[in-house]
């Protein structure tokens, strides 16, 4: 933790809104103020972990309005994940910070004389094979799976080509999700209601090519056809 600013007693630090929409300075603070900053430390998440002790459910959906392969995965911890290749293909903007500073936040920071916040280090993600990779950034996208629709802040990282979006245990806990393999469904809270997402039925087994129908002629019918001048192929 480091000291980034210090203000003496009586220094006006805050403003109050006026009726015309402007702001007026308030009285100075009755005590001295010190502002400290605790730099963020890199986070380590796990994504697409091994098959042991995990539940997974694949669903077709849309991310940023584009058809996407989505995976609900209890083995993915910490956040929602988005494929870097999918972002590049669709043209999704990847940011270096989870959520950019708003105009209001910047205005308040500048009024207090504070420096711009340092960019948090990108998290490290552990893949199923134990390899640790650094995230490429963050993306805010709309996600739609059947009747579920929500805007999510995702970590962008190089993923397998099997899925474009992964919803991990943080999402499962927040949505109070229940996965049922008996019904092949995922029920979750969506505001004041609960909705049920259905996995697609398994693809039918490829049918064997139909055999040609073979017509058999008796000896008598064959002789009769030859006498009438029929040509046999």
């Amino acid at each position: 933790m480091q000291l980034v600013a210090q203000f003496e007693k009586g220094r006006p630090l805050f403003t109050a809104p006026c009726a015309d929409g402007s702001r007026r300075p308030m009285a100075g603070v009755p005590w001295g103020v010190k502002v400290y900053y605790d730099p963020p430390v890199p986070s380590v998440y796990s994504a697409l972990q091994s098959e042991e002790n995990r539940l997974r459910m694949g669903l077709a959906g849309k991310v940023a309005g584009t058809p996407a392969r989505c995976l609900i995965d209890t083995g993915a911890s910490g956040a929602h994940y988005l494929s870097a290749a999918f972002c590049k293909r669709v043209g999704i903007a990847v940011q270096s910070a989870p959520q950019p500073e708003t105009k209001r936040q910047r205005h308040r920071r500048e009024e207090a004389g504070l420096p711009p916040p340092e960019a948090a280090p990108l998290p490290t993600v552990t893949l199923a094979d134990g390899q640790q990779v650094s995230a490429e950034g963050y993306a805010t996208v709309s996600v739609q799976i059947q009747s579920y629709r929500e805007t999510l802040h995702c970590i962008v990282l190089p993923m397998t080509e099997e899925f474009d979006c992964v919803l991990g245990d943080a999402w499962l806990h927040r949505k109070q999700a229940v996965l049922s393999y008996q019904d092949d469904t995922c029920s979750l809270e969506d505001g004041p209601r609960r909705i049920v997402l259905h996995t697609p039925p398994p693809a039918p087994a490829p049918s064997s090519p139909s055999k040609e129908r073979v017509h058999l002629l008796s000896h008598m019918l064959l002789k009769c056809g030859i006498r009438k001048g029929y040509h046999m192929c």
Side-chain angles (χ1 to χ4, degrees), residues 217-230 232:
L217 296 178
S218 67
H219 178 67
M220 294 298 295
L221 287 175
L222 180 59
K223 289 178 64 177
C224 180
I226 293 174
R227 284 199 303 267
K228 291 182 179 181
Y230 294 158
M232 302 299 170

Side-chain angles (χ1 to χ4, degrees), residues 204-210:
S207 57
S208 58
S210 59

Side-chain angles (χ1 to χ4, degrees), residues 107-233:
H107 179 70
R108 288 183 173 179
R109 175 179 56 77
E110 291 174 348
E111 280 189 335
L114 299 177
E118 295 182 10
L122 294 172
T124 300
V125 179
T126 304
L127 302 180
D129 59 1
Q131 178 187 5
Q132 288 194 345
V133 298
S134 296
E136 297 188 8
Y138 304 88
T140 301
V141 293
S142 61
V143 176
Q144 176 184 347
I145 304 174
Q146 299 172 27
S147 57
Y148 163 73
R149 295 175 178 83
E150 190 175 10
T151 298
L152 300 178
H153 305 291
C154 302
I155 294 178
V156 179
L157 70 152
M159 288 168 37
T160 67
E161 296 182 357
E162 186 180 2
F163 295 101
D164 304 311
C165 177
V166 176
L167 304 176
D169 62 353
W171 180 85
L172 289 162
H173 280 93
R174 181 171 60 84
K175 306 302 289 187
Q176 295 294 299
V178 177
L179 276 65
S180 170
Y181 280 119
Q182 180 178 359
D183 303 322
D184 289 329
T185 60
C186 174
S187 64
L188 51 95
E189 286 188 355
D190 189 39
R193 59 175 183 154
R194 284 194 73 86
I195 61 177
V196 179
L197 307 180
H198 298 266
T199 59
S207 57
S208 58
S210 59
K211 298 181 179 179
E212 291 187 26
R213 299 182 64 181
V214 179
H215 300 276
L216 299 178
L217 296 178
S218 67
H219 178 67
M220 294 298 295
L221 287 175
L222 180 59
K223 289 178 64 177
C224 180
I226 293 174
R227 284 199 303 267
K228 291 182 179 181
Y230 294 158
H231 296 283
M232 302 299 170
C233 299

